[in-house]
């Protein structure tokens, strides 16, 4: 039975494909009643009321199936049962009131249940009124509190803001908290008049609040139909610069604390432009009259696409052109483009259930790249993002413990674990692949049709496949007997990706192409059955004489029917061939050894290597190194391919090489053979470092800036040239400057490298100096850079204190950054063992510190596991995770993947470690 058919069956069992109420598990709403509209009132005085909030939800519901039980989601709310009412309007002047026989709570599934003494009738509408109250937590979930310090008065300022995805709306108001339960909302926010409130829709009116002098209530316009996880509001003293208007007349504002509002200019300029571009790209108007974006001091995610009120971490929205790096700017633009893409893909059309989360995240990730390329073509985002996504996906999806893109989700407690590389980056990769084989025009037309058919509603991936198939058949792109679903199901509902074996017959010119699943290490006998999966693979190719890398549409398709023979290829026996033009498909390729040698020869020829497209040069490095890791290619061949980097000048291949070689670095860093590897890297990087020029020299062009950043990072790590001396001189110049709080002579694009080098080679004074700059900085991008650099110290006591501070709310490190601080220490050669011990001893405290976001525990385990290389370390981590299973219960998938990673590392070590000196011999 095919893997993807099995997953379809699982989906049916879990109720993810439209089951009846009787079939649904207890953690799913039974669907007998559905919401149509909410009149929602929320009141809060923030700190004046000890962070309490109170209000009411008047929910207009439609009865779909006769019932005497109404269950709505509610978590950590106090419901005033005595004032809960259920009525039916028989006519405008006659309300029928239903008696609620009992109130009960299902704490496990987070329901409040009202049992009526008479049945609600199918086809009739009712009104359910629920008064409630709660307390705003500081765990970054639900309606929570955040704060910042006003530097002028040293006063703590408070704000209240929402974060509901995936199932935290129920912490703020009683609701039908599933994505399919769309409704319209009229939201009213009561607060002291010194604050401003925002919500999804524009403000309609502000009136004095009865019996609360100095308070007002802001009533917002009625919303379009939306899912509860997209509802949003904020109460704060934030401000904004003058609003801008998009070409379509949408009012656009960017909100921040007053001291940071001067950092909103880039977002205020870029946001409206990309919103307008998406209206053109999707051929669908943005349906709201306004779009607010807000920079939140404490925020768990990177950003959240709430309709009309997108919320961000400060570091991903605020930009200072004088101090923020070009990489910061690119990241901010990418996140803004991602969130605005969601306004169509996710908000306008929403997944029916979390199984299709990837439709939201994968599509937004891909379209963000298109938006960036449209507005900043000089950034080369289409290539850069392709490399970043592919390298990340290839690593994670090679694990047996990976998961399908479209993963069956049962209990909502499982949802947090799939907000990961597979949903975002693999989703983006396969959508890009689909764009390539359908063509841009067909792809866009199919997406527009999909949005038109399901506007303001819900959909599944099959609905997207149907729309794309319809257009593809109309325009003759796919054969009538082939559908997009037939192709894409092989990519979305089974785990992993293929490696193609391309074997040439040099006498006849024929080529045989076959496939199997790629696994992270040479499989054992019992693992080989996993490789029997198959995909419908689009094949594009070229050869040395033609070297045409412009056509990415497939010339052939490899199916599940067995190997494909290509008999009219045309390449002579002394010419290389390359498959997968511009890496348009998500797969690896292993050639026969002669072709690999031809490719290595071409790459190492300075006069001819650029005939191969940069993306394919990147692919050759990545494939060679990973195939050698797996055991399917000799390392001598792989390292021979990489040796050409000494004359490579473009960022894309270098980025791939840094990732692939970094994996070997991890394997050797704590071993006696590390010196051989360091010398090899120095040979590769020295020329590139010389070409990059002095550290004080800023290159022209975004590509050159990224290249310099990458090369200086390698120069720092492998002690190449005079990088260290230059870096320490620059830091000393800053350290000794009389106005060091306001003047920083270090070039902004390489500050992270310089800071790390100075902290690594410095002592207590340098660390204290940089920490003071962190505390005083008003710029989130700079604070983030400093936090990473502080983990570079080699002083054990400083690193131990830094780890302690990471989970101390009074230290100055925000809870959102705790895991990042841990990671910065753990990836330090000195800090690894300290971080491991810290996690083992303080796991309960770390779990408690993260509160509602305790699924983050898995990231701690992964950071440690990524650097473990022996069977003894595998046993150590397995024992640790079993011992603390209680604290890792929401991170089961991450723990499983972490243990598998260590197992793979240990197997690699036993097979390859001893031969490293031979692999890296200069005579190769």
């Amino acid at each position: 039975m095919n893997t993807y058919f099995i997953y379809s069956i699982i989906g049916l069992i879990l109720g993810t494909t439209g089951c009846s109420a009787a079939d649904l598990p207890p953690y799913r709403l039974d669907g007998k009643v559905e919401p149509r509209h909410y009149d929602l009132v929320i009141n809060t005085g923030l700190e004046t009321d000890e962070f309490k909030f109170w209000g009411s939800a008047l929910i207009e519901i439609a009865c779909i199936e006769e019932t005497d039980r109404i269950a709505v989601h509610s978590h950590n709310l106090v419901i005033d049962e005595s004032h809960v009412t259920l009525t039916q309007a028989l006519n405008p002047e006659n309300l029928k009131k239903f008696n609620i026989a009992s109130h009960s709570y299902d704490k496990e599934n987070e329901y409040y249940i009202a049992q009526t003494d008479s049945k609600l009738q199918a086809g009739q509408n009712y009104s359910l009124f629920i008064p409630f109250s709660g307390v705003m937590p500081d765990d970054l979930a639900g309606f929570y509190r955040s704060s910042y310090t006003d530097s002028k008065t040293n006063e703590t300022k408070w704000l209240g803001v929402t974060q509901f995805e995936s199932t935290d709306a129920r912490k703020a108001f009683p609701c039908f908290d599933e994505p399919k339960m769309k409704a319209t909302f009229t939201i009213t926010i009561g607060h002291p008049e010194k604050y401003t409130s925002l919500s999804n829709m524009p403000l309609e009116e502000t009136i004095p609040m009865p019996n609360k002098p100095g308070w007002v209530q802001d009533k917002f316009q009625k919303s379009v139909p939306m899912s509860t996880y997209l509802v949003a509001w904020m109460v704060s003293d934030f401000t904004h610069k003058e609003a801008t208007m998009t070409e379509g007349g949408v009012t656009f504002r960017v909100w921040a604390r007053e001291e940071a509002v001067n950092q909103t200019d880039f977002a205020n300029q870029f946001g409206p432009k990309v919103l307008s571009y998406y209206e053109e790209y999707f051929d669908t108007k943005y349906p709201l009259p306004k779009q607010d974006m807000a920079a939140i001091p404490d925020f768990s995610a990177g950003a959240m696409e709430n309709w009309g009120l997108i919320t961000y971490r400060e570091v991903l929205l605020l930009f200072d052109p004088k101090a923020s790096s070009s990489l910061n700017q690119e990241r901010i633009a990418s996140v803004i483009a991602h969130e605005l893409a969601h306004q169509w893909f996710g908000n306008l059309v929403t997944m029916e259930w979390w199984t299709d989360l990837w439709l939201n995240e994968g599509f937004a990730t891909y379209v963000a790249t298109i938006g960036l390329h449209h507005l900043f073509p000089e950034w080369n985002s289409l290539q850069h993002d392709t490399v970043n996504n592919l390298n990340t996906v290839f690593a994670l999806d090679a694990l047996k413990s990976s998961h399908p893109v479209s993963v069956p989700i049962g209990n909502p407690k499982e949802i947090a674990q799939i907000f990961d590389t597979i949903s975002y980056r693999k989703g983006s990769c396969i959508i890009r692949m689909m764009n390539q084989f359908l063509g841009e025009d067909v792809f866009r037309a199919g997406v527009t049709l999909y949005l038109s058919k399901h506007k303001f509603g819900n959909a599944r991936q099959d609905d997207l496949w149907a729309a794309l198939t319809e257009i593809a058949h109309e325009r003759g792109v796919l054969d009538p007997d082939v559908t997009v679903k037939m192709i894409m199901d092989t990519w979305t509902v089974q785990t992993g990706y293929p490696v193609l074996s391309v074997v040439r017959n040099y006498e006849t010119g024929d080529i045989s192409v076959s496939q199997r699943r790629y696994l992270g290490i040479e499989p054992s006998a019992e693992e080989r059955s996993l490789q029997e999966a198959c995909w419908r693979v689009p094949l594009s190719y070229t050869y040395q004489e033609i070297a045409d890398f412009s056509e990415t549409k497939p010339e052939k398709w490899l199916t599940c029917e067995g190997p494909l023979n290509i008999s009219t290829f045309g390449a002579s026996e002394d010419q290389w061939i390359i498959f997968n033009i511009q890496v348009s498909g998500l797969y690896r390729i292993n050639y026969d050894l002669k072709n690999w040698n031809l490719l290595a020869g071409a790459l190492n020829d300075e006069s001819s290597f650029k005939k191969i497209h940069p993306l394919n040069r990147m692919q050759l490095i990545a494939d060679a190194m990973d195939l050698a890791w797996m055991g399917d290619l000799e390392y001598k061949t792989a390292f021979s391919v990489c040796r050409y980097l000494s004359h490579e000048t473009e960022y894309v291949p270098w980025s791939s090489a840094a990732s692939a070689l970094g994996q070997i670095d991890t394997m050797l860093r704590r071993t006696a053979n590390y010196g051989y590897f360091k010398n090899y890297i120095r040979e590769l990087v020295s020329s590139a470092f010389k070409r990059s020029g002095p550290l004080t020299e800023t290159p022209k062009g975004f590509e050159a800036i990224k290249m310099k950043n990458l090369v200086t990072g390698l120069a720092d790590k492998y002690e190449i040239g005079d990088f260290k001396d230059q870096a320490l001189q620059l830091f000393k110049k800053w350290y000794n400057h009389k106005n060091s709080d306001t003047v920083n002579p270090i070039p902004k694009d390489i500050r992270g490298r310089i800071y790390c080098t100075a902290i690594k080679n410095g002592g207590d004074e340098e660390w204290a100096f940089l920490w003071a700059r962190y505390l005083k900085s008003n710029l989130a991008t700079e604070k983030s850079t400093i936090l990473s650099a502080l983990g570079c110290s080699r002083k054990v006591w400083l690193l131990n204190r830094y780890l302690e501070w990471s989970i101390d709310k009074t230290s100055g490190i925000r809870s959102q950054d705790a895991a990042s601080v841990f990671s910065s220490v753990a990836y330090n050669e000195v800090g690894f063992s300290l971080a491991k011990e810290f996690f083992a001893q303080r796991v309960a405290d770390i779990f408690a510190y993260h509160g509602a976001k305790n699924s983050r525990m898995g990231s701690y385990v992964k950071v440690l596991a990524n650097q473990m290389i022996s069977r003894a370390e595998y046993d150590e981590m397995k024992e640790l995770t079993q011992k603390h299973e209680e604290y890792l219960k929401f991170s089961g998938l991450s723990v499983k993947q972490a243990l598998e990673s260590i197992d793979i590392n240990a197997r690699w070590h036993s097979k390859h470690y001893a031969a490293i000196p031979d692999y890296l011999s200069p005579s190769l």
Side-chain angles (χ1 to χ4, degrees):
M1 183 179 288
N2 286 337
T3 308
Y4 58 87
F5 180 74
I6 294 173
Y7 276 111
S8 298
I9 297 299
I10 294 173
L12 289 169
I13 294 170
L14 292 175
T16 60
T17 54
C19 293
S20 67
D23 297 326
L24 289 170
Y27 48 76
R28 293 291 304 273
L29 292 166
D30 62 19
K32 293 182 179 181
V33 294
E34 295 179 352
R36 294 291 180 260
H37 178 75
Y38 292 77
D39 273 309
L40 180 61
V41 178
I42 298 285
N43 304 301
T44 179
L46 293 179
E47 75 274 20
T48 59
D49 292 291
E50 297 179 330
F51 305 106
K52 292 179 181 176
F53 65 91
W54 66 96
S56 61
L58 177 62
I59 312 173
E60 296 176 14
I61 58 177
C63 184
I64 308 302
E65 185 180 336
E66 184 180 75
T67 185
D68 59 0
R69 176 184 181 274
I70 303 175
V72 297
H73 288 106
S74 176
H75 184 54
N76 289 340
L77 296 174
V78 177
I79 290 176
D80 182 358
E81 298 174 3
S82 64
H83 289 89
V84 175
T85 60
L86 178 67
T87 59
Q88 180 184 15
L90 300 177
N91 58 58
E93 298 179 357
N94 184 11
L95 286 179
K96 178 183 178 182
K97 187 173 182 179
F98 284 72
N99 182 48
I100 297 178
S102 66
H103 306 266
S104 61
Y105 300 86
D106 179 346
K107 291 187 177 181
E108 173 65 23
N109 296 303
E110 300 174 345
Y111 292 137
Y112 158 72
I113 302 164
Q115 190 78 36
T116 60
D117 60 2
S118 58
K119 291 186 179 295
L120 283 65
Q121 300 301 310
Q124 300 297 308
N125 294 329
Y126 302 86
S127 295
L128 178 65
F129 177 78
I130 309 176
F132 60 90
S133 62
V135 176
M136 297 165 58
D138 60 358
D139 61 4
L140 315 185
F143 181 30
Y144 71 92
R145 66 183 188 265
S146 175
S147 68
Y148 66 93
T149 301
D150 186 323
S151 66
K152 296 176 183 177
T153 64
N154 205 33
E155 179 186 359
T156 299
K157 298 291 189 74
W158 293 94
L159 61 142
V161 66
T162 59
Q163 170 58 33
F164 290 160
E165 191 176 31
S166 52
T167 59
D168 288 331
R170 64 193 67 178
K171 294 181 178 180
F173 64 102
C175 57
F176 295 82
D177 200 14
E178 292 185 2
K180 190 177 180 181
M181 295 292 181
K182 285 191 169 183
T184 54
F185 289 79
T186 300
I187 296 174
T188 301
I189 307 293
H191 57 83
E193 56 187 353
K194 68 177 181 178
Y195 295 118
T196 298
S197 70
L198 300 171
S199 189
N200 304 87
M201 299 298 291
L203 181 66
E204 186 173 273
E205 63 174 346
T206 298
I207 59 173
M209 191 167 173
N211 305 317
K212 294 285 281 186
W215 284 52
V216 295
Q217 282 190 322
D218 293 332
K219 182 179 180 181
F220 297 89
Q221 294 177 14
K222 183 179 179 180
S223 77
V224 297
M226 58 184 179
S227 304
T228 49
Y229 79 89
L230 295 169
V231 173
W233 63 83
M234 181 173 76
V235 180
S236 72
D237 66 350
F238 282 10
T239 185
H240 68 92
K241 286 191 173 182
E242 184 177 349
T244 56
M245 298 285 286
T246 69
E247 295 175 5
V250 178
T251 301
F252 210 101
R253 300 177 297 185
V254 183
W255 296 78
R257 44 191 178 82
E258 186 174 2
E259 288 182 283
V261 77
N262 64 327
Q263 301 166 26
T264 62
D265 288 346
F266 175 70
N268 215 9
Q269 295 161 10
F270 175 73
K273 291 178 182 178
V274 79
L275 188 76
S276 296
Y277 173 68
Y278 286 155
E279 288 186 316
E280 174 191 339
Y281 185 84
F282 293 122
D283 194 20
T284 305
K285 282 289 186 183
Y286 175 73
L288 304 187
K290 67 96 173 177
Q291 178 63 72
D292 287 315
M293 304 200 300
I296 312 301
D298 298 289
F299 200 69
S300 63
M304 179 59 210
E305 66 266 21
N306 315 300
W307 223 348
L309 176 55
I310 304 174
T311 44
Y312 297 80
R313 283 194 186 197
E314 286 193 347
V315 72
L316 295 176
L317 186 64
L318 303 180
F319 177 77
D320 181 350
K322 294 180 180 179
S324 301
S325 71
S326 299
L327 296 181
N328 292 144
Q329 185 180 26
E330 180 192 37
R331 180 63 177 142
I332 289 167
S334 178
V335 173
I336 292 172
H338 179 106
E339 303 309 322
L340 288 173
H342 271 309
Q343 308 303 298
W344 286 265
F345 234 90
N347 297 12
L348 185 64
V349 180
T350 311
M351 70 250 159
E352 282 191 1
W353 182 242
W354 298 101
T355 289
D356 286 325
L357 170 71
W358 84 271
L359 272 185
N360 283 13
E361 300 301 348
F363 206 94
T365 302
Y366 176 65
V367 173
T369 303
I370 295 175
L372 252 64
H373 182 71
H374 175 75
L375 292 168
F376 297 105
E378 68 276 14
W379 287 3
N380 200 16
S381 300
L382 292 177
Q383 287 192 21
H384 293 182
D385 285 2
T386 296
V387 176
N388 292 337
N389 291 337
L390 284 170
N391 284 337
T392 310
V393 170
F394 280 150
L396 179 58
D397 213 26
L399 300 178
K400 295 178 296 179
S401 52
S402 183
H403 64 80
V405 171
S406 183
V407 56
I409 287 295
N411 196 306
K413 293 174 182 177
E414 302 169 6
I415 297 169
Q417 297 189 68
I418 63 166
F419 281 83
D420 66 357
T421 291
I422 300 301
S423 294
Y424 284 73
R425 294 179 182 264
K426 185 178 180 182
S428 174
C429 288
I430 62 175
I431 290 169
R432 174 182 178 267
M433 179 174 68
M434 184 168 61
N435 185 324
Q436 300 278 9
F437 71 69
L438 290 175
E440 175 73 10
D441 291 343
V442 170
F443 176 78
R444 285 178 63 173
V447 168
T448 298
L449 178 62
Y450 167 81
L451 292 172
S452 174
K453 282 186 174 183
H454 303 284
K455 189 175 182 179
F456 298 118
N458 298 83
R460 295 172 294 193
Q461 67 173 18
D462 283 3
D463 296 312
L464 177 59
W465 303 157
L468 289 163
T469 299
E470 184 176 332
I471 300 298
H473 285 167
E474 281 180 6
R475 302 190 184 182
V477 173
L478 290 181
D479 291 339
D481 58 342
V482 176
T483 67
V484 172
K485 177 178 171 61
M486 290 167 62
I487 298 168
M488 295 305 294
D489 272 8
T490 67
W491 296 93
T492 64
V493 296
Q494 63 180 346
T495 303
Y497 58 88
V499 53
L500 306 191
S501 177
V502 176
V503 179
R504 300 173 64 178
N505 184 322
Y506 290 90
E507 294 181 0
T508 65
D510 292 355
I511 297 173
S512 174
V513 185
S514 58
Q515 63 169 299
R516 56 188 170 85
R517 179 180 168 186
Y518 181 88
L519 292 175
I521 198 70
E522 186 176 3
S524 61
E526 58 269 23
E527 291 170 337
R528 283 181 189 138
S529 62
L530 294 172
Q531 296 188 298
E532 295 175 4
C534 68
W535 290 260
R536 284 181 174 256
V537 184
L539 302 179
S540 55
Y541 40 79
T542 190
Y543 58 94
Q544 186 170 335
E545 183 178 346
I546 297 175
D548 180 4
F549 290 88
S550 61
E551 183 55 73
T552 59
K553 287 187 178 180
E555 297 190 42
K556 303 279 186 181
W557 284 85
L558 178 63
T559 67
C560 297
E561 296 173 0
L564 173 70
N565 187 66
I566 303 174
S567 58
T568 55
F569 202 84
S572 63
E573 62 177 318
D574 59 347
Q575 294 182 344
W576 53 255
I577 64 172
I578 287 179
F579 273 62
N580 203 12
I581 303 302
Q582 294 189 41
V583 203
S584 52
L586 181 64
Y587 52 90
R588 295 204 176 285
I589 306 162
N590 192 11
Y591 301 99
D592 59 76
L593 185 57
K594 181 175 180 178
N595 196 68
W596 271 118
N597 288 333
L598 289 169
L599 288 166
L603 288 172
N604 281 284
D605 183 345
E606 291 189 51
S607 65
S608 66
F609 77 99
K610 287 191 175 181
K611 291 181 180 179
I612 301 173
H613 193 279
L615 281 173
N616 287 99
R617 303 204 298 269
M618 175 279 295
Q619 178 196 27
L620 291 171
I621 294 169
D623 285 357
M625 291 300 292
D626 279 359
L627 289 164
W629 177 281
M630 187 182 181
D632 279 0
L633 185 68
E634 289 188 4
Y635 261 113
K636 285 187 177 182
T637 303
F639 283 125
S640 177
V641 168
C642 290
R643 280 194 184 278
Y644 101 94
L645 288 163
S646 61
H647 54 256
E648 176 62 82
T649 58
E650 296 199 40
Y651 173 78
V652 162
W654 263 109
S655 175
S656 181
S659 176
L661 294 168
Q663 192 177 30
I664 306 299
D665 181 276
T666 299
M667 293 293 98
L668 303 178
R669 186 183 306 158
R670 293 181 282 136
T671 73
N673 280 343
Y674 190 48
Y676 296 101
F677 183 72
K678 286 182 71 174
N679 289 335
Y680 174 80
I681 297 296
R682 285 169 176 165
E683 289 178 29
L684 298 185
V685 179
S686 292
S687 296
F689 178 66
K690 288 177 183 176
R691 287 193 298 266
S692 69
L695 297 186
T696 53
E697 184 180 289
T698 300
K700 293 181 180 180
F702 188 72
E703 184 106 354
I705 288 172
K706 292 187 81 168
M707 183 65 179
K708 183 161 189 171
N709 191 282
L710 185 151
V711 169
T712 53
L714 293 171
D716 172 27
K717 187 170 188 176
Y718 297 103
E719 301 169 312
I720 295 171
D722 63 347
F723 172 83
K724 177 180 171 182
D725 292 338
Q726 288 190 66
L728 294 180
Q729 287 173 13
L730 277 170
F731 190 85
K732 185 177 180 180
K733 186 176 180 181
W734 183 34
Y735 182 90
N736 291 328
H737 199 288
K738 62 180 180 180
N739 296 318
S740 58
D741 285 339
T742 56
V743 177
N744 188 338
I746 302 173
K748 63 181 183 178
D749 288 310
I750 56 171
R751 281 183 183 172
R753 308 295 187 197
I754 306 299
Y755 294 172
C756 182
T757 299
I759 295 300
K760 181 167 54 178
N761 292 281
D764 305 355
E765 295 82 6
E766 287 80 5
W767 203 98
F769 170 82
L770 198 57
W771 174 251
R773 304 289 81 70
Y774 167 79
L775 293 176
K776 292 179 181 180
S777 177
N778 184 44
L779 179 60
T781 54
E782 176 73 355
K783 291 173 83 75
S784 177
T785 299
I786 292 173
L787 279 182
S788 294
L790 289 169
C792 295
S793 175
R794 289 173 173 158
K795 298 282 188 179
V796 170
W797 79 271
L798 283 173
L799 293 175
N800 275 326
R801 186 181 67 176
Y802 199 33
L803 289 169
E804 292 290 343
W805 283 1
S806 73
I807 56 170
D808 180 352
K809 290 183 183 295
T810 67
S811 69
I813 298 171
R814 295 186 179 274
S815 60
Q816 66 187 12
D817 297 318
S820 297
V821 169
F822 179 86
S823 178
S824 73
V825 175
Y827 279 115
N828 175 342
E829 295 167 3
V830 175
F832 171 69
S833 59
L834 305 178
K836 183 171 64 172
E837 181 66 17
F838 175 76
F839 182 76
Q841 297 299 320
R842 301 295 300 279
V843 62
D845 297 326
I846 298 170
F847 179 84
Y849 186 76
H850 285 295
K853 297 299 177 182
N854 44 37
S855 59
R856 286 192 173 181
M857 298 295 289
S859 68
Y860 287 77
V861 175
K862 278 192 169 184
V863 164
L864 296 173
N866 286 344
Q867 301 171 82
M868 293 181 168
I869 59 176
S870 69
R871 187 58 52 190
E873 287 180 316
Y874 174 88
D875 293 338
E876 179 186 10
M877 180 57 77
K878 186 173 183 180
E879 181 182 355
L880 178 65
T881 54
Q882 289 176 343
K883 179 181 178 181
H884 298 299
E885 187 175 5
E886 175 186 356
Y887 304 115
L888 298 167
K889 57 187 175 183
F890 301 114
S891 305
L893 181 59
S894 292
V895 170
K896 189 176 181 181
Q897 291 171 348
L899 289 171
E900 185 181 350
S901 295
I902 306 171
D903 175 61
I904 287 173
N905 290 350
R907 288 160 68 178
W908 182 94
H909 227 264
S910 64
K911 180 173 182 177
H912 295 293
Y913 173 73
I916 283 294
D918 295 332
Y919 296 156
L920 299 175
S921 170
S923 63
L924 287 176

